[in-house]
PDB file of all heavy atoms in Angstrom:
ATOM      1  N   ILE A  12       3.916 -12.164 -25.372  1.00 89.00           N
ATOM      2  CA  ILE A  12       2.688 -11.806 -24.730  1.00 89.00           C
ATOM      3  C   ILE A  12       2.600 -10.289 -24.472  1.00 89.00           C
ATOM      4  O   ILE A  12       1.586  -9.633 -24.793  1.00 89.00           O
ATOM      5  CB  ILE A  12       2.493 -12.573 -23.417  1.00 89.00           C
ATOM      6  CG1 ILE A  12       2.259 -14.074 -23.694  1.00 89.00           C
ATOM      7  CG2 ILE A  12       1.282 -12.031 -22.627  1.00 89.00           C
ATOM      8  CD1 ILE A  12       2.251 -14.930 -22.452  1.00 89.00           C
ATOM      9  N   GLU A  77       0.998  -6.156 -16.386  1.00 96.00           N
ATOM     10  CA  GLU A  77       1.695  -4.890 -16.500  1.00 96.00           C
ATOM     11  C   GLU A  77       1.150  -4.017 -17.645  1.00 96.00           C
ATOM     12  O   GLU A  77       0.924  -2.802 -17.498  1.00 96.00           O
ATOM     13  CB  GLU A  77       3.188  -5.064 -16.668  1.00 96.00           C
ATOM     14  CG  GLU A  77       3.943  -5.427 -15.394  1.00 96.00           C
ATOM     15  CD  GLU A  77       5.425  -5.360 -15.557  1.00 96.00           C
ATOM     16  OE1 GLU A  77       5.879  -4.506 -16.387  1.00 96.00           O
ATOM     17  OE2 GLU A  77       6.157  -6.100 -14.891  1.00 96.00           O
ATOM     18  N   ALA A  95     -12.427 -15.213  -9.996  1.00 97.00           N
ATOM     19  CA  ALA A  95     -13.489 -16.225 -10.107  1.00 97.00           C
ATOM     20  C   ALA A  95     -13.027 -17.552 -10.724  1.00 97.00           C
ATOM     21  O   ALA A  95     -13.249 -18.658 -10.150  1.00 97.00           O
ATOM     22  CB  ALA A  95     -14.643 -15.667 -10.900  1.00 97.00           C
ATOM     23  N   LEU A 112     -15.810 -23.231 -17.397  1.00 97.00           N
ATOM     24  CA  LEU A 112     -14.501 -22.735 -17.732  1.00 97.00           C
ATOM     25  C   LEU A 112     -14.281 -22.488 -19.242  1.00 97.00           C
ATOM     26  O   LEU A 112     -13.659 -21.498 -19.632  1.00 97.00           O
ATOM     27  CB  LEU A 112     -13.422 -23.642 -17.158  1.00 97.00           C
ATOM     28  CG  LEU A 112     -13.273 -23.631 -15.612  1.00 97.00           C
ATOM     29  CD1 LEU A 112     -12.259 -24.617 -15.142  1.00 97.00           C
ATOM     30  CD2 LEU A 112     -12.969 -22.208 -15.126  1.00 97.00           C
ATOM     31  N   GLY A 118     -14.316 -16.030 -23.639  1.00 95.00           N
ATOM     32  CA  GLY A 118     -14.709 -14.630 -23.477  1.00 95.00           C
ATOM     33  C   GLY A 118     -16.217 -14.445 -23.478  1.00 95.00           C
ATOM     34  O   GLY A 118     -16.695 -13.305 -23.344  1.00 95.00           O
ATOM     35  N   TRP A 163     -30.628 -24.878  -2.858  1.00 94.00           N
ATOM     36  CA  TRP A 163     -30.245 -23.854  -1.938  1.00 94.00           C
ATOM     37  C   TRP A 163     -30.857 -22.525  -2.360  1.00 94.00           C
ATOM     38  O   TRP A 163     -30.997 -22.230  -3.567  1.00 94.00           O
ATOM     39  CB  TRP A 163     -28.700 -23.698  -1.891  1.00 94.00           C
ATOM     40  CG  TRP A 163     -27.991 -24.875  -1.275  1.00 94.00           C
ATOM     41  CD1 TRP A 163     -27.612 -26.029  -1.857  1.00 94.00           C
ATOM     42  CD2 TRP A 163     -27.604 -24.989   0.120  1.00 94.00           C
ATOM     43  NE1 TRP A 163     -26.963 -26.838  -0.940  1.00 94.00           N
ATOM     44  CE2 TRP A 163     -26.968 -26.226   0.275  1.00 94.00           C
ATOM     45  CE3 TRP A 163     -27.738 -24.104   1.196  1.00 94.00           C
ATOM     46  CZ2 TRP A 163     -26.467 -26.667   1.500  1.00 94.00           C
ATOM     47  CZ3 TRP A 163     -27.220 -24.555   2.446  1.00 94.00           C
ATOM     48  CH2 TRP A 163     -26.604 -25.805   2.567  1.00 94.00           C
ATOM     49  N   ALA A 220     -14.964  -1.092 -12.304  1.00 95.00           N
ATOM     50  CA  ALA A 220     -16.404  -0.977 -12.100  1.00 95.00           C
ATOM     51  C   ALA A 220     -16.853  -1.823 -10.902  1.00 95.00           C
ATOM     52  O   ALA A 220     -16.390  -2.968 -10.741  1.00 95.00           O
ATOM     53  CB  ALA A 220     -17.123  -1.449 -13.348  1.00 95.00           C
ATOM     54  N   ASP A 265       4.968   2.953 -14.181  1.00 97.00           N
ATOM     55  CA  ASP A 265       5.974   3.127 -15.239  1.00 97.00           C
ATOM     56  C   ASP A 265       5.449   4.067 -16.308  1.00 97.00           C
ATOM     57  O   ASP A 265       6.187   4.899 -16.846  1.00 97.00           O
ATOM     58  CB  ASP A 265       6.350   1.782 -15.817  1.00 97.00           C
ATOM     59  CG  ASP A 265       7.549   1.848 -16.741  1.00 97.00           C
ATOM     60  OD1 ASP A 265       8.635   2.230 -16.304  1.00 97.00           O
ATOM     61  OD2 ASP A 265       7.369   1.523 -17.966  1.00 97.00           O
ATOM     62  N   VAL A 285      11.932  22.472 -17.835  1.00 87.00           N
ATOM     63  CA  VAL A 285      11.717  22.233 -16.395  1.00 87.00           C
ATOM     64  C   VAL A 285      12.555  21.009 -15.952  1.00 87.00           C
ATOM     65  O   VAL A 285      13.129  20.967 -14.856  1.00 87.00           O
ATOM     66  CB  VAL A 285      10.247  22.017 -16.099  1.00 87.00           C
ATOM     67  CG1 VAL A 285      10.053  21.540 -14.679  1.00 87.00           C
ATOM     68  CG2 VAL A 285       9.478  23.333 -16.309  1.00 87.00           C
ATOM     69  N   ARG A 335       1.309   5.375  -6.252  1.00 97.00           N
ATOM     70  CA  ARG A 335       0.807   6.573  -5.615  1.00 97.00           C
ATOM     71  C   ARG A 335       1.872   7.691  -5.698  1.00 97.00           C
ATOM     72  O   ARG A 335       1.573   8.859  -5.991  1.00 97.00           O
ATOM     73  CB  ARG A 335       0.428   6.306  -4.139  1.00 97.00           C
ATOM     74  CG  ARG A 335      -0.218   7.497  -3.441  1.00 97.00           C
ATOM     75  CD  ARG A 335      -0.760   7.067  -2.138  1.00 97.00           C
ATOM     76  NE  ARG A 335       0.295   6.442  -1.282  1.00 97.00           N
ATOM     77  CZ  ARG A 335       0.074   5.819  -0.159  1.00 97.00           C
ATOM     78  NH1 ARG A 335      -1.177   5.612   0.261  1.00 97.00           N
ATOM     79  NH2 ARG A 335       1.081   5.276   0.548  1.00 97.00           N
ATOM     80  N   ILE A 348      -1.924  22.236 -15.510  1.00 81.00           N
ATOM     81  CA  ILE A 348      -2.733  21.322 -16.267  1.00 81.00           C
ATOM     82  C   ILE A 348      -2.863  19.992 -15.520  1.00 81.00           C
ATOM     83  O   ILE A 348      -3.882  19.282 -15.617  1.00 81.00           O
ATOM     84  CB  ILE A 348      -2.114  21.073 -17.668  1.00 81.00           C
ATOM     85  CG1 ILE A 348      -3.075  20.246 -18.534  1.00 81.00           C
ATOM     86  CG2 ILE A 348      -0.779  20.432 -17.570  1.00 81.00           C
ATOM     87  CD1 ILE A 348      -4.402  20.864 -18.804  1.00 81.00           C
ATOM     88  N   PHE A 360      -3.649   8.211 -10.328  1.00 94.00           N
ATOM     89  CA  PHE A 360      -3.712   8.418  -8.884  1.00 94.00           C
ATOM     90  C   PHE A 360      -4.964   7.723  -8.284  1.00 94.00           C
ATOM     91  O   PHE A 360      -4.898   7.100  -7.229  1.00 94.00           O
ATOM     92  CB  PHE A 360      -3.763   9.913  -8.587  1.00 94.00           C
ATOM     93  CG  PHE A 360      -3.535  10.226  -7.132  1.00 94.00           C
ATOM     94  CD1 PHE A 360      -2.232  10.311  -6.584  1.00 94.00           C
ATOM     95  CD2 PHE A 360      -4.587  10.380  -6.258  1.00 94.00           C
ATOM     96  CE1 PHE A 360      -2.029  10.579  -5.279  1.00 94.00           C
ATOM     97  CE2 PHE A 360      -4.404  10.654  -4.937  1.00 94.00           C
ATOM     98  CZ  PHE A 360      -3.068  10.770  -4.393  1.00 94.00           C
ATOM     99  N   ARG A 375      -1.645  -2.514   6.449  1.00 94.00           N
ATOM    100  CA  ARG A 375      -2.234  -3.812   6.871  1.00 94.00           C
ATOM    101  C   ARG A 375      -1.716  -4.939   6.054  1.00 94.00           C
ATOM    102  O   ARG A 375      -1.569  -6.119   6.550  1.00 94.00           O
ATOM    103  CB  ARG A 375      -3.727  -3.712   6.815  1.00 94.00           C
ATOM    104  CG  ARG A 375      -4.332  -2.800   7.894  1.00 94.00           C
ATOM    105  CD  ARG A 375      -5.811  -3.006   8.034  1.00 94.00           C
ATOM    106  NE  ARG A 375      -6.141  -4.350   8.477  1.00 94.00           N
ATOM    107  CZ  ARG A 375      -7.370  -4.830   8.549  1.00 94.00           C
ATOM    108  NH1 ARG A 375      -8.386  -4.105   8.147  1.00 94.00           N
ATOM    109  NH2 ARG A 375      -7.581  -6.092   8.942  1.00 94.00           N
TER     110      ARG A 375
END
Side-chain angles (χ1 to χ4, degrees):
I12 291 172
E77 282 192 31
L112 290 178
W163 290 87
D265 189 62
V285 170
R335 186 171 56 193
I348 187 63
F360 193 84
R375 291 195 62 188

